[in-house]
Amino acid sequence: MKFKLVAVLFLLFISCHDDDPLIADAELEGEWTLSDVICYCAFASDIDFSLTKVSFNPNKNSVTVTSESEYSFFRNNGEHTYGGQANRINFSDGSVYYFETKGELLTLTFEDNPDIADDEITYIFKR
């Protein structure tokens, strides 16, 4: 009986192994400037997104946000630590973003809640 219990526990343990790599954030490193926000929201035509900058430090798993705008777009000013896996960044407040880099562009897309109709938002940053 003990052998069966140990075998079942072993099978459960190996079946829970996660093959996804840790967050692939090396390409995030450096400073990025916000260039656009895509959402179900309205902004004044003269809004200057470039007043918001983010700087990723993968060695510390942190992003520093500096904004001279009266609006807070991506996150509040300051340093924010993150975790994640593969192409997902999650912050301590529970917010999760998918990221994609293509050359000089970084796209961060908020992982929306299907129960909330208008929470989709995407941030476009440039180097």
Side-chain angles (χ1 to χ4, degrees):
M1 184 67 175
K2 285 184 181 180
F3 178 74
K4 288 181 181 178
L5 179 62
V6 170
V8 168
L9 290 175
F10 176 74
L11 288 174
L12 285 173
F13 176 75
I14 63 171
S15 67
C16 292
H17 185 298
D18 195 347
D19 291 327
D20 286 342
L22 293 177
I23 188 167
D25 60 352
E27 64 263 16
L28 294 176
E29 187 170 8
E31 186 173 287
W32 301 86
T33 302
L34 185 62
S35 65
D36 198 7
V37 177
I38 302 166
C39 61
Y40 292 107
C41 44
F43 296 110
S45 60
D46 62 343
I47 195 146
D48 188 0
F49 294 117
S50 69
L51 296 174
T52 300
K53 298 184 184 331
V54 296
S55 181
F56 282 90
N57 183 341
N59 297 326
K60 292 175 52 179
N61 288 349
S62 70
V63 60
T64 302
V65 178
T66 52
S67 178
E68 297 173 13
S69 174
E70 62 183 291
Y71 305 104
S72 176
F73 292 108
F74 174 58
R75 303 201 64 78
N76 291 330
N77 279 334
E79 185 176 37
H80 306 271
T81 57
Y82 62 84
Q85 206 164 15
N87 69 333
R88 295 177 77 223
I89 297 174
N90 44 323
F91 292 97
S92 60
D93 65 358
S95 60
V96 177
Y97 296 85
Y98 292 100
F99 72 88
E100 180 180 22
T101 57
K102 287 186 179 177
E104 298 296 307
L105 289 179
L106 165 64
T107 304
L108 291 171
T109 304
F110 181 70
E111 181 180 70
D112 79 29
N113 179 343
D115 296 332
I116 301 173
D118 294 339
D119 69 337
E120 297 87 5
I121 187 164
T122 300
Y123 302 93
I124 310 293
F125 293 87
K126 293 182 180 177
R127 279 211 195 267

